[in-house]
Amino acid sequence: MILVTGAAGALGQLVAQQLAVRDDVVLGTRTPRSAGERRVDFDDPASLDFSGVDTLLLISAGFGEDDVVVARHDAAITAAEKAGVRHIVYTSLSGDGDHLAYALPHRWTERRIRHSNLAWTVLRNGLYAEFLAAIAAPGPDGTITAPLGTGRLAAVAREDLAEVAARVVSAPKQHAGRTYELVGEEALGGTELAAAADGSYEPGSLARARETIAAAGEALPYQVPMLVGTYSAIAAGFLDGTGIEHNALRRLLEREPRSALETYAASVGAAHEGT
């Protein structure tokens, strides 16, 4: 049996769609609604019932302070060990993301998994093109003011990462003990993004971005430095893909990756239609 955690999230839903043809897949969510779903709440270790599970896809339970995320992942891995899960596949963060504020829980989890009694595979996912559409969206006048400087991001379509995850959990033995870097093949900067959105690019400052994020009131206090740090890492050139020695995305997909630029443009368009 394959169990997919975080099945209610965007990545989890896409993985579930990829695995829909199989009859040995169970989806883990906080609020299960069907027989094919099982309650999996990382904040309630008693709910982590992985009995009968051969392969566990542990989709990172982010959106929390480091200690919270670490505790969630530790509880999941401990439950997997106790239940006799054979193989765990973890969706981590790309190796060039070590400058990001949210890298620590990922690296801690990788180490915890490697020291467990489970067979394992680590999928080091690059930042989503869809996420780029959120943090570098054009304003009402079509101008992108995100503080990306002259930096670029090797963004990757979320759907491609879901397809890779589905392929790996479907044949886990072939990927045992492997850590795969999965980043986009085209690095996108403000100029490219503006052209795709038929707008212009006038990068602002990190200080202005911090003020804007805080003033919007949508980000929790710990998320503000995370977002500003992401801008900073992109602007400094740490996330343009050149720091990745072996990008496994194309090989594991067995085809050309989806265009991150087209994915960005489609996400921006969908957001505008929803407003």
Side-chain angles (χ1 to χ4, degrees), residues 65-121:
E65 297 278 9
D66 286 353
D67 56 346
V68 172
V69 178
V70 164
R72 290 170 176 168
H73 291 177
D74 188 39
I77 297 165
T78 298
E81 291 175 317
K82 291 180 178 178
V85 172
R86 296 178 183 174
H87 196 118
I88 185 168
V89 178
Y90 174 59
T91 61
S92 188
L93 175 68
S94 60
D96 58 5
D98 281 341
H99 295 85
L100 299 174
Y102 37 91
L104 187 147
H106 287 291
R107 301 299 176 250
W108 183 94
T109 304
E110 290 183 16
R111 184 180 64 187
R112 172 70 177 86
I113 289 173
R114 292 190 180 101
H115 291 169
S116 73
N117 59 15
L118 308 169
W120 56 268
T121 306

Side-chain angles (χ1 to χ4, degrees), residues 112-272:
R112 172 70 177 86
I113 289 173
R114 292 190 180 101
H115 291 169
S116 73
N117 59 15
L118 308 169
W120 56 268
T121 306
V122 172
L123 305 178
R124 284 186 163 182
N125 292 345
L127 298 186
Y128 305 146
E130 293 87 346
F131 172 68
L132 188 57
I135 68 169
D141 64 351
T143 303
I144 296 175
T145 60
L148 305 178
T150 58
R152 287 175 165 77
L153 172 65
V156 57
R158 185 188 282 116
E159 195 168 353
D160 279 350
L161 296 176
E163 184 174 333
V164 168
R167 285 173 175 263
V168 170
V169 298
S170 296
K173 289 184 179 180
Q174 298 177 19
H175 306 282
R178 302 296 299 273
T179 297
Y180 294 118
E181 296 286 351
L182 304 166
V183 300
E185 295 184 347
E186 54 180 330
L188 307 178
T191 301
E192 291 85 5
L193 301 180
D198 295 324
S200 61
Y201 176 50
E202 299 176 14
S205 68
L206 292 173
R208 179 56 180 163
R210 187 184 299 274
E211 293 171 359
T212 301
I213 294 168
E218 298 178 358
L220 295 172
Y222 72 88
Q223 293 176 317
V224 177
M226 285 183 173
L227 291 170
V228 174
T230 300
Y231 286 130
S232 183
I234 295 172
F238 286 107
L239 299 175
D240 62 4
T242 58
I244 300 297
E245 187 173 351
H246 299 291
N247 183 11
L249 184 64
R250 179 184 291 259
R251 176 164 63 85
L252 293 180
L253 286 173
E254 298 180 353
R255 60 167 173 77
E256 181 179 355
R258 291 173 173 81
S259 168
L261 191 59
E262 291 178 4
T263 300
Y264 166 85
S267 297
V268 168
H272 284 175

